[in-house]
Amino acid sequence: MTAEIIDGKATANQIKEELKPAIEELKNKGIIPGLAAVLLGEDPASQTYVAMKERACERLGINSFVHHLSESTTESELLALVEKLNADDKVHGILVQLPVPDHIDSNKILDSIVQAKDVDGFSADSLGKIMSGREHFVPATPLGIMVLLDRYGIDPSGKHAVIVGRSNIVGKPLANLLMQKKKGANATVTICHSRTPDISVHTRQADILIAAIGVPKYIKPDMVKPGAVVIDVGINSVDDPTAKRGYRLVGDVDFEAVKEVAGAITPVPGGVGPMTIAMLMSNVVKAAEKSGL
Ligand code: GUN
């Protein structure tokens, strides 16, 4: 039996469609939601992500202000830009694309974004609110995963969710969301990472397995319990001379093999990635709505 395919692209399109009336309503009040994206340097993946966010904004009628700065931008210059955006009434959400160059303290920058505009939810305040169950802006990727589970009728309650990856932007916030004492959560959560011995012992126990490690095709069928829900957060570019661009995107899960074992699975592309963009748009609209209160 092959797994049900969890179609993130279709769900993301649905969510963006559902945002349109709210955006119209804001416009009727004279508010055009605005997202400022700050990108440092020329990392191709980061440039692609920012371009995708910009395109999503344009399609929804959200203002997009992209600030593409040089790799050598100093921390104080970047802080000054964030301060300016914090004070700009046309900007309702601010995101600083990560990673930033090594000479910049990313935490200092993320914490300088005012709470009302922290649509990525990466500041210490935002992450602390998630941990204590007082959600403000939830980072888009974990939020997208929670929404996908909900829309596919997968209730984490009482299930064992195993997350492979402990990043501040996916693994840690997602663990907190899944373990909250509330509807759509209540999971038992295990986090594995690069220093976990014999990861497959843990992954094989997962009713819901989330792979967010950034290693192409890391999760193999023998690491998956038959019938498990498998969520693939990975976006890895691998060389492929037969592809038009010379590369193709693969996830952290060996999709073709694992879909024969799993009960449901997200593809790459077309799974978690589009949900991340849709939930960012949703956070920007929410920020704009709150600004008008
Ligand atoms: N780098 C990788 N993912 C993300 C994201 O969702 N937001 C930002 N700002 N940077 C990232």
Side-chain angles (χ1 to χ4, degrees):
M1 195 190 77
T2 62
E4 177 186 12
I5 305 299
I6 298 177
D7 189 341
K9 191 171 175 197
T11 309
N13 283 338
Q14 210 173 18
I15 285 163
K16 286 186 281 186
E17 207 51 48
E18 289 165 13
L19 288 174
K20 287 181 179 169
I23 295 169
E24 262 322 295
E25 203 174 312
L26 281 163
K27 286 193 179 151
N28 292 338
K29 287 194 227 162
I31 300 169
I32 299 173
L35 172 67
V38 181
L39 170 65
L40 268 67
E42 308 301 325
D43 175 59
S46 289
Q47 290 189 63
T48 304
Y49 295 145
V50 169
M52 286 162 80
K53 292 168 190 179
E54 193 178 11
R55 206 173 322 128
C57 283
E58 281 162 8
R59 289 192 178 150
L60 283 172
I62 293 175
N63 277 333
S64 164
F65 310 101
V66 176
H67 297 262
H68 191 172
L69 310 178
S70 95
E71 174 97 24
S72 61
T73 302
T74 64
E75 191 175 274
S76 54
E77 284 167 340
L78 185 53
L79 282 169
L81 173 60
V82 172
E83 280 314 313
K84 205 173 92 187
L85 298 172
N86 279 341
D88 187 339
D89 288 344
K90 292 193 294 302
V91 172
H92 303 98
I94 301 169
L95 78 81
V96 177
Q97 187 66 30
L98 301 177
V100 289
D102 287 344
H103 65 273
I104 290 174
D105 177 351
S106 60
N107 284 329
K108 200 162 161 185
I109 302 299
L110 296 174
D111 288 349
S112 74
I113 299 171
V114 287
Q115 276 286 282
K117 299 190 182 188
D118 183 22
V119 288
D120 253 343
F122 294 164
S123 68
D125 277 349
S126 295
L127 290 171
K129 281 178 180 142
I130 292 172
M131 193 170 173
S132 60
R134 295 171 288 150
E135 287 160 20
H136 177 57
F137 289 116
V138 176
T141 302
L143 180 57
I145 293 169
M146 297 305 284
V147 170
L148 263 188
L149 293 176
D150 179 54
R151 299 228 172 175
Y152 273 80
I154 299 161
D155 184 0
S157 181
K159 306 247 170 65
H160 188 178
V162 177
I163 302 170
V164 188
R166 55 177 158 181
S167 71
N168 286 345
I169 66 179
V170 182
K172 286 184 205 165
L174 181 60
N176 280 282
L177 294 172
L178 283 164
M179 73 171 85
Q180 295 296 353
K181 189 173 182 176
K182 71 173 209 187
K183 195 168 171 292
N186 290 312
T188 301
V189 180
T190 298
I191 295 200
C192 306
H193 48 76
S194 53
R195 303 291 171 91
T196 305
D198 205 354
I199 283 184
S200 60
V201 167
H202 304 282
T203 59
R204 274 199 295 269
Q205 292 177 32
D207 302 308
I208 302 172
L209 175 61
I210 299 113
I213 27 170
V215 180
K217 297 188 178 185
Y218 177 85
I219 302 289
K220 302 290 183 192
D222 63 352
M223 299 170 77
V224 178
K225 177 158 88 175
V229 173
V230 179
I231 306 288
D232 190 350
V233 184
I235 305 178
N236 308 291
S237 154
V238 295
D239 290 341
D240 181 356
T242 68
K244 210 163 48 182
R245 293 174 295 187
Y247 68 91
R248 78 197 148 85
L249 297 179
V250 300
D252 290 352
V253 176
D254 187 347
F255 178 83
E256 287 305 323
V258 170
K259 80 176 182 352
E260 303 303 323
V261 180
I265 187 167
T266 62
V268 175
V272 174
M275 288 300 289
T276 296
I277 308 264
M279 300 329 294
L280 174 67
M281 297 299 113
S282 168
N283 280 350
V284 174
V285 172
K286 193 169 135 187
E289 284 173 340
K290 286 187 176 184
S291 79
L293 294 179

